[in-house]
């Protein structure tokens, strides 16, 4: 029933959501192109979009949040007729939104879907942070995604907005997975994607690196944005 409803929405051009815009925030060491397939599906469903590219390896979580989130909000609000702004995030992108909301309000905030978010930090950061090249690959923000004293996710409180979390249970990185509690997506344990206050939660058979590009994740994202549930 849910898949049929999504197909109908796509065929109809999504006119019912023409006044809604979705900000897309990519993950650590990725770029906006990694969210292109998700963006195309959102546009086809009738949403306006703002796919934000930000220098994830160059700044702290706090600095990135103050860059990327306002840029997305401004890009959506600049589009004629937009009344509601949703967010779809991958990995670090979800933590940037939570960090921003810890200091700011978004009056026109709609629903949020987070894919593979390290909402409780990731032990992989603590276990592998001493490996040569870690900081070069992950930058200051990457160092803040663990479970230690520097952890940003662990100092953020419960969420108070409509949030759906999608967690992956497939890995293509046996080295990182070896230090994570099972099940995991190769970067984050499923248990660490959860956060108090979330509205819905679901797992998909995809890896951290590619979950935002998979058909199943996209269908679930469209479902949650439409009515605040994954429908399962």
């Amino acid at each position: 029933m849910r898949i049929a409803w999504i197909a109908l929405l796509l065929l109809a051009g999504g006119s019912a959501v023409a006044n809604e815009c979705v900000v897309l925030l990519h993950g650590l060491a990725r770029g906006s192109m990694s969210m292109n397939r998700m963006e195309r599906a959102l546009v086809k469903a009738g949403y306006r979009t703002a796919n934000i590219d930000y220098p994830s390896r160059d700044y702290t979580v706090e600095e990135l949040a103050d860059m990327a989130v306002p840029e997305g909000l401004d890009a959506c609000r600049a589009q004629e007729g937009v009344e509601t702004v949703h967010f779809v995030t991958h990995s670090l992108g979800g933590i940037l939104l939570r960090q921003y909301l810890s200091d700011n309000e978004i009056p026109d905030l709609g629903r949020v879907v987070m894919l593979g978010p390290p909402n409780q930090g990731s032990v992989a950061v603590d276990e592998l942070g001493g490996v040569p090249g870690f900081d070069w690959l992950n930058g200051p923000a990457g160092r803040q995604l663990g479970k230690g004293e520097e952890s940003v996710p662990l100092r953020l409180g419960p969420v108070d907005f409509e949030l759906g979390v999608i967690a992956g249970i497939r890995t293509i990185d046996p080295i990182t997975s070896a230090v994570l509690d099972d099940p995991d997506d190769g970067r984050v344990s499923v248990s660490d994607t959860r956060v108090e206050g979330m509205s819905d939660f679901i797992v998909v058979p995809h890896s951290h690196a590619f979950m935002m590009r998979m058909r199943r994740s996209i269908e679930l994202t469209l479902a949650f944005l439409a009515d605040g549930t994954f429908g399962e």
Side-chain angles (χ1 to χ4, degrees):
M1 186 70 174
R2 167 58 54 192
I3 303 303
W5 183 90
I6 292 172
L8 182 62
L9 175 64
L10 293 174
L11 288 172
S15 58
V17 297
N19 64 343
E20 301 176 32
C21 184
V22 182
V23 177
L24 297 102
L25 297 177
H26 62 80
L28 182 64
R30 305 300 289 270
S32 58
M33 287 185 63
S34 69
M35 303 295 282
N36 278 356
R37 187 171 294 178
M38 179 72 75
E39 182 181 27
R40 287 196 295 269
L42 290 165
V43 170
K44 190 173 183 180
Y47 292 97
R48 317 285 187 87
T49 60
N51 190 0
I52 304 304
D53 198 76
Y54 64 92
S56 64
R57 299 192 300 173
D58 294 344
Y59 299 93
T60 66
V61 168
E62 295 86 351
E63 291 170 318
L64 291 171
D66 286 339
M67 290 180 197
V69 177
E71 181 179 347
L73 291 171
D74 289 346
C76 276
R77 292 166 178 167
Q79 300 182 52
E80 185 177 357
V82 168
E83 298 176 0
T84 303
V85 180
H86 306 292
F87 281 78
V88 173
T89 69
H90 177 230
S91 192
L92 170 63
I95 305 306
L96 299 190
L97 179 59
R98 288 184 63 202
Q99 168 61 36
Y100 183 83
L101 286 168
S102 71
D103 294 321
N104 304 273
E105 293 185 1
I106 302 178
D108 48 353
L109 180 64
R111 297 181 174 125
V112 178
V113 176
M114 295 184 181
L115 296 99
N119 277 320
Q120 304 303 320
S122 175
V123 71
V125 174
D126 307 307
E127 294 293 330
L128 303 176
V131 174
F134 179 91
D135 289 323
W136 179 81
L137 287 170
N138 299 287
R143 183 68 65 176
Q144 295 176 291
L145 298 180
K147 291 176 170 289
E149 294 181 358
E150 296 181 72
S151 176
V152 169
L154 289 183
R155 71 167 181 254
L156 298 173
V159 300
D160 59 359
F161 49 86
E162 286 189 83
L163 169 63
V165 173
I166 301 176
I169 55 172
R170 180 171 295 167
T171 177
I172 57 174
D173 187 346
I175 295 176
T176 303
S177 288
V179 304
L180 294 170
D181 292 333
D182 292 330
D184 68 89
D185 65 5
R187 288 290 181 272
V188 185
S189 296
V190 167
S191 58
D192 285 332
T193 64
R194 296 175 178 269
V195 63
E196 184 180 351
M198 63 184 181
S199 307
D200 206 350
F201 176 85
I202 197 166
V203 297
V204 293
H206 303 312
S207 69
H208 190 85
F210 299 110
M211 65 170 62
M212 66 289 191
R213 298 179 57 82
M214 297 300 182
R215 179 178 177 179
R216 177 66 172 153
S217 299
I218 292 171
E219 290 173 345
L220 290 167
T221 297
L222 289 171
F224 189 87
L225 292 181
D227 54 22
T229 176
F230 292 125
E232 299 185 1

